[in-house]
Amino acid sequence: MTVRRADLTPARLPRGFADRGAAELKTLREMTERIRETYELWGFEGLETPVFEYTDALGKFLPDQDRPNAGVFSLQDDDEQWMSLRYDLTAPLARFVAENFQRLPKPYRSYRFGPVFRNEKPGPGRFRQFLQFDADIVGAASVAADAEMCMMMADALEAVGVKRGDYVIKVNNRKILDGVMEAIGLGGEENAGRRLTVLRAIDKLDRLGPEGVRALLGRGRKDESGDFTKGAGLDDEAALRVLSILKAKTADNLETARRLFEEFSSTESGQDGARELSAIATLIEQAGYEGRVSIDPSVVRGLEYYTGPVYEAELTFTIEDDDGRPIQFGSVGGGGRYDGLVGRFMAEDTPATGFSIGVSRLLAALTALKGETAPAADGPVVVLALDREHIGRSMAQAAKLREAGIAAEVYLGSSGMKAQMKYADRRRSPCVVIQGSDEREAEIPQVTLKDLVEGAKAAAAIKERSEWTESRPAQVTVPEERLVEEVRAILARHG
RNA sequence: GCCGCCAUAGCUCAGUUGGUUAGAGCGCCAGAUUGUGGAUCUGGAGGUCCCCCGUUCAAGCCGGGGUGGCGGUACCA
């Protein structure tokens, strides 16, 4: 009987964090490998930076005395300097580039993969630690670099198994949005706050629809829980003008760009933005990526540091959840041009553009897409230990298998044969090696090999208990010498 | 942050007008086979009914407070 002690430590996972088991790790590894291959194929090189950065290097969030951990996990070093866990991979890249500027080839094409941390309320599919896989080009001011990023994002998605047509890379330009702001009289420093409100409203188009966005542009909006969100306070004319951006979208990228140009040619930034989009659309077409990348004026993206083209990768397929309701996965990555970011560290401004793939989210989407597949028998061969005094012999058998490149382990627990079989089953072992006194003491020493996959199939047909005990489905007894070949034959049956 | 909902076994959940020993399914362990996983049957282990205070002869159930979780919304570099 277990004694319940008051001082036992509760075993609990911190909120917003997740453990990952063997199966998930495997698919994750395969997925990230595909992404890595894609990036390297495009000539990007790896870079790893630490999870901690000095807080000031990360950007605008300097922890103040009252709320040092708002948004970011922060702590003070022994010299009292604030350090924070990175909340994206872009700011650390900017720091690295600035610190190593002289010796890096420009343009500098690099990728990085790793966990990032955000100290905020977790939700379904939203964690406080998650994985990103970024690629960036630093030192290329041309929109050709932005076009490349979009194309490579498309390639990466296809490499991990998202079919063409099941995703779209949407591109917009912050300059268009800037132009609109200017046109409706929201230019200048004093309107920064309202501009942000407008951008946030546009960003919510997919979730709230045009009416919702309209409400947020004007007075505000009350949601189902009764909470009221204050709007941007635009008058009807201005609100319609903003909404007209969204209407400019057509199936034809060049046509969309042309419409945006006409609509917003009254401001310089609007013109620039539209011209850049037009250039990107042309490059996309010439490179053969039409249909995969789409000019979409509703894309807003990260509200802070983007200065030009912004892009977003969206999965367009839906699957049904347990209750038969459709789930949409939406954005699995995005990025844009951030010409000012490196400039925070150096006098010299350095153009840069890049994107980030939300690996955890993409993995969740792909897993859901594939559905519940029967787990493969990808565990190790388990060598049963029937007699403790002969465990050395079992170890020798396992060693032989390993020499042949076959994953194998000797059962090290203390339970009987039945439990050992159960163990092998749980390990998703394809096959167990059995050598008890019967086999060992035969004239020519033998081993019994049981094919667990075949055994499971045979079991499905058996109804009577006596059949279980009397038939020994899917197992063979062979000379011990032939152990490796026979195991290999069983493994070969199951690919 | 704001609004709402919820908290009983490892999991999903029942639990009568407040009444004695708190249940089910699944899972787990074991036996049916002293050498065989997955079907079946039988048995077993497993509970601070989230915590504290209150009402009551009596609280899983009623009241108050706290904590935790979930959903929506806001924020999201």
Side-chain angles (χ1 to χ4, degrees):
Chain A
M1 165 166 166
T2 316
V3 179
R4 184 173 287 274
R5 282 170 26 197
D7 60 348
L8 285 179
T9 305
R12 58 200 186 110
L13 184 67
R15 212 156 62 92
F17 291 85
D19 297 320
R20 259 189 280 279
E24 193 183 348
L25 283 175
K26 195 179 172 202
T27 41
L28 177 68
R29 194 170 58 228
E30 283 161 5
M31 194 178 107
T32 52
E33 199 41 45
R34 295 292 91 73
I35 297 173
R36 188 186 317 280
E37 284 164 9
T38 304
Y39 291 0
E40 291 189 348
L41 210 52
W42 279 79
F44 286 69
E45 65 177 45
L47 170 70
E48 187 176 301
T49 64
V51 293
F52 269 105
E53 292 283 346
Y54 284 118
T55 303
D56 56 8
L58 287 179
K60 57 169 187 159
F61 285 92
L62 298 170
D64 55 65
Q65 220 56 18
D66 303 329
R67 309 190 315 161
N69 282 313
V72 294
F73 293 98
S74 301
L75 55 86
Q76 270 181 300
D77 205 354
D78 54 11
D79 59 3
E80 311 256 301
Q81 294 196 70
W82 279 100
M83 301 168 64
S84 298
L85 285 172
R86 63 189 181 195
Y87 49 77
D88 68 17
L89 298 177
T90 310
L93 171 70
R95 186 227 86 215
F96 172 84
V97 169
E99 210 171 342
N100 299 276
F101 196 73
Q102 301 303 323
R103 59 184 190 79
L104 291 175
K106 264 80 65 182
Y108 174 56
R109 303 160 75 90
S110 72
Y111 67 80
R112 69 223 107 258
F113 166 68
V116 301
F117 305 84
R118 294 186 188 178
N119 190 7
E120 50 194 36
K121 182 188 160 187
R126 288 188 56 172
F127 295 90
R128 294 203 285 174
Q129 174 185 342
F130 55 98
L131 295 167
Q132 292 194 331
F133 209 142
D134 282 33
D136 298 82
I137 303 177
V138 180
S142 156
V143 290
D146 298 288
E148 266 209 350
M149 298 315 297
C150 294
M151 296 185 240
M152 186 166 85
M153 210 167 8
D155 278 7
L157 287 179
E158 291 187 20
V160 301
V162 182
K163 290 197 190 62
R164 198 167 297 184
D166 276 350
Y167 72 91
V168 61
I169 311 295
K170 304 198 285 194
V171 198
N172 190 19
N173 198 319
R174 289 298 283 268
K175 292 178 184 171
I176 301 261
L177 299 165
D178 291 345
V180 179
M181 300 294 179
E182 224 174 287
I184 60 173
L186 283 188
E189 264 314 299
E190 69 279 12
N191 287 312
R194 284 175 79 196
R195 279 206 299 272
L196 210 58
T197 310
V198 172
L199 289 178
R200 283 172 188 159
I202 298 170
D203 201 27
K204 293 186 175 69
L205 179 67
D206 9 332
R207 197 151 45 84
L208 303 180
E211 322 81 57
V213 173
R214 180 65 214 273
L216 286 174
L217 289 174
R219 283 206 181 76
R221 173 178 173 273
K222 188 179 242 175
D223 64 55
E224 302 130 49
S225 70
D227 198 18
F228 185 76
T229 309
K230 196 167 177 297
L234 300 184
D235 58 35
D236 284 355
E237 197 192 334
L240 287 176
R241 195 81 199 277
V242 170
L243 286 171
S244 72
I245 314 175
L246 309 176
K247 291 206 205 92
K249 168 132 184 64
T250 69
D252 183 281
N253 284 339
L254 284 166
E255 172 63 14
T256 307
R258 199 185 57 77
R259 286 192 183 198
L260 286 169
F261 188 85
E262 279 175 8
E263 185 82 18
F264 303 109
S265 58
S266 61
T267 65
E268 203 180 316
S269 42
Q271 283 184 16
D272 283 356
R275 260 198 296 267
E276 287 179 9
L277 284 180
S278 182
I280 289 174
T282 304
L283 292 171
I284 296 293
E285 201 180 311
Q286 288 173 348
Y289 281 74
E290 69 274 17
R292 300 192 244 170
V293 181
S294 169
I295 304 281
D296 188 327
S298 70
V299 174
V300 176
R301 290 296 303 171
L303 304 163
E304 285 308 312
Y305 52 63
Y306 291 121
T307 54
V310 288
Y311 26 89
E312 195 158 78
E314 189 171 306
L315 299 182
T316 52
F317 61 84
T318 56
I319 63 141
E320 297 196 341
D321 68 8
D322 299 340
D323 304 325
R325 282 178 307 222
I327 308 176
Q328 228 167 345
F329 288 101
S331 171
V332 291
R337 177 160 288 278
Y338 49 98
D339 286 346
L341 203 54
V342 179
R344 294 197 305 111
F345 302 97
M346 303 190 307
E348 193 175 347
D349 249 8
T350 306
T353 184
F355 69 85
S356 178
I357 289 181
V359 171
S360 314
R361 214 162 172 187
L362 182 56
L363 184 67
L366 287 174
T367 307
L369 180 63
K370 278 183 206 141
E372 292 293 310
T373 46
D378 55 1
V381 170
V382 173
V383 180
L384 302 194
L386 297 185
D387 305 293
R388 285 200 86 76
E389 62 272 28
H390 291 104
I391 195 162
R393 187 149 170 182
S394 302
M395 288 181 153
Q397 290 158 4
K400 280 224 172 65
L401 291 169
R402 290 184 201 116
E403 276 165 33
I406 298 166
E409 68 164 288
V410 176
Y411 176 80
L412 293 179
S414 54
S415 302
M417 182 170 185
K418 193 179 168 80
Q420 296 190 32
M421 291 298 298
K422 204 163 188 164
Y423 171 81
D425 191 43
R426 255 181 219 171
R427 291 300 313 276
R428 301 192 311 197
S429 173
C431 165
V432 295
V433 176
I434 303 165
Q435 188 179 51
S437 54
D438 293 354
E439 290 88 351
R440 202 167 45 241
E441 288 157 18
E443 210 160 312
I444 302 165
Q446 297 175 318
V447 287
T448 295
L449 305 178
K450 177 152 186 169
D451 180 335
L452 293 187
V453 179
E454 280 306 314
K457 280 185 202 155
I462 295 176
K463 289 282 169 289
E464 288 297 310
R465 198 175 71 79
S466 58
E467 288 180 66
W468 284 90
T469 57
E470 284 157 26
S471 80
R472 286 283 135 81
Q475 67 181 55
V476 290
T477 299
V478 300
E480 188 172 1
E481 283 184 359
R482 296 191 42 80
L483 171 70
V484 171
E485 292 116 287
E486 296 291 339
V487 168
R488 199 176 264 149
I490 289 173
L491 296 184
R493 285 213 285 269
H494 310 302

